[in-house]
Structures are given as C-alpha cells and as structure tokens.
Amino acid sequence: MGGGSEPLDTKHGKFLGGWGNLGSQTQKGIVTYAISANRQRPLAGVLNAAIFNTWRRFKAQALYVLPPLAIAYATMKWAIEKNEYYNSKEGRLHDSEAAEEATQGGTVRG
C-alpha cells in the first residue's frame, strides 16, 4: 500500500504516473491556446476602475458616516472648550461665585 514511486502496475513493474497522468494516451482533438505572460494585461484598467469604484462606494456610505462624525466632532469641540473654561481663572471665579450664591439661597447662574 504505500505511495511515492512504487509501481502501480505490479505485474509489469511500471510506474504509471501521478494523479491526472496515469499512463494513458494523450487525448486527441483537444486544442489549447495560450498567450505569453508578457502579452497579457492583468492590470489593465485597474487604476481607472479603482478610482471610480472607490468614489461610488464612498458616495453610497457617506450619509451613514458623516453626520455621526460631525455630531461627535461638535460635541468634542464643545466639551474641550467647556473644560478649558472651567479650568481657567474666569471659570474658577464663576464657579466660586455660583457656589456662594447657592449657599446664600440665591439662584445659580449657568
């Protein structure tokens, strides 16, 4: 039972060949054509197709992606400005005045 180069035809001791080529005669009437690898153009039109395909896919997804990004950007910008104000001299002064008014029964300005 083994593989490798053992003879498949034990009666005659002849190796018939690997899979797909088991010693049979070549078939007649089958014509194959081939073209040189240098004559083929496997990348023909790739850049042009890539640009237009990328634009088509971007255009299809833009309305799903851009509004949430714009909202997130505006929210982050507002939060950064508010944080910088709260950590500035004016923000701390405003916070201390609001705390004093709250303890004295006044309304808190916001």
Side-chain angles (χ1 to χ4, degrees):
M1 287 297 292
S5 62
E6 289 184 13
L8 295 178
D9 184 2
T10 55
K11 182 176 180 182
H12 301 290
K14 180 180 175 189
F15 178 68
L16 297 177
W19 287 104
N21 185 18
L22 295 176
S24 63
Q25 294 180 347
T26 58
Q27 295 182 354
K28 295 182 180 181
I30 296 177
V31 179
T32 58
Y33 296 95
I35 187 170
S36 169
N38 295 332
R39 302 295 289 173
Q40 294 178 7
R41 293 179 27 173
L43 299 178
V46 167
L47 290 177
N48 188 30
I51 291 169
F52 288 110
N53 190 35
T54 302
W55 174 250
R56 179 187 57 83
R57 293 174 69 182
F58 171 77
K59 192 171 61 171
Q61 295 296 318
L63 290 177
Y64 295 106
V65 176
L66 294 180
L69 283 177
I71 291 169
Y73 178 78
T75 304
M76 280 300 296
K77 185 175 178 184
W78 171 82
I80 290 170
E81 289 175 359
K82 199 75 164 171
N83 184 41
E84 288 175 356
Y85 173 74
Y86 282 153
N87 289 316
S88 68
K89 189 180 277 188
E90 295 83 17
R92 291 180 190 273
L93 180 63
H94 177 265
D95 189 38
S96 65
E97 288 174 0
E100 287 175 12
E101 288 181 9
T103 57
Q104 294 174 2
T107 59
V108 177
R109 294 178 292 170

